[in-house]
Amino acid sequence: MLETISVTVDPRGVATLTLNRPEKHNAMSAQMIRELTQAAVQLGSDGTVRVVVLTGAGKSFCAGGDLGWMQDQMAADPQTRFVEARKLAEMLQALNVMPKPLIGALQGNAFGGGVGLAAVCDVAIGVETLKMGLTETRLGLIPATIGPYVVARMGAARARRVFMSARLFDAAEAVDLGLLAKTVSAEDMADAVEAEVEPYLSCAPGAVASAKALVHGLGPRVDDPVIDQTIRALVARWETDEAHEGISAFFDKRKPVWNS
């Protein structure tokens, strides 16, 4: 039984994959990471599914990694950290290579890993009031496992504007950065998503899957060596004094030493 996400499929084969921890701003816990991976595999192999829409319940699309999950990683041994980081990386890659069009409907803010989820979508639409940000460096961490997808979507030059500074940016800048295709009002979101969905229903599903695979093959490579590099980078960063200080400061509701 799914507890942190929900999946529905309409008679046309349009699946809606909803992050469903609204009370936690849809932050990604270990369970959500596992359930998202399972959903990506199942939807990708379901011949009745033509298109997948990724969205969130509540006010936020995704606040990133669940801080309780991060705290667990800080207390874990290096091997456990490596295993958990790989689960996160494999979830992102499962969504990225899913042989169905993936349309992001960002009904609210996206931070950290939430930006990564937007980046693995084939197209992402956001409400015009949302905020986004790669906020990891505020905690002494880095946007490691999401990094290949974010850089592939933005390009290195645009990524450097926001990848290291942790500054927040609005929906208009997210379009300029390439993260969002367009912004709409909350009232117009359903129509905007439908406009993206409808053309696929007249396309050959196998051709769509092959075309998506070709795009991945022609674009920046996100393969096993790249994913392993990001996992090592994240695990190494978790072991630093800065990461321990950043996570501790968050839970202590104080500023970290570099922001005092």
Side-chain angles (χ1 to χ4, degrees), residues 81-102:
R81 291 173 181 165
F82 192 89
V83 169
E84 293 305 309
R86 180 167 293 282
K87 291 176 182 177
L88 175 58
E90 289 176 347
M91 178 271 289
L92 291 165
Q93 184 68 327
L95 288 169
N96 185 53
V97 302
M98 183 173 57
K100 307 294 169 76
L102 181 60

Side-chain angles (χ1 to χ4, degrees), residues 28 61-65 88 92 110-118 133-136 146:
M28 291 185 287
F61 173 67
C62 178
L88 175 58
L92 291 165
F111 303 125
V115 177
L117 289 176
L134 294 153
T135 52
E136 288 88 346
I146 66 172

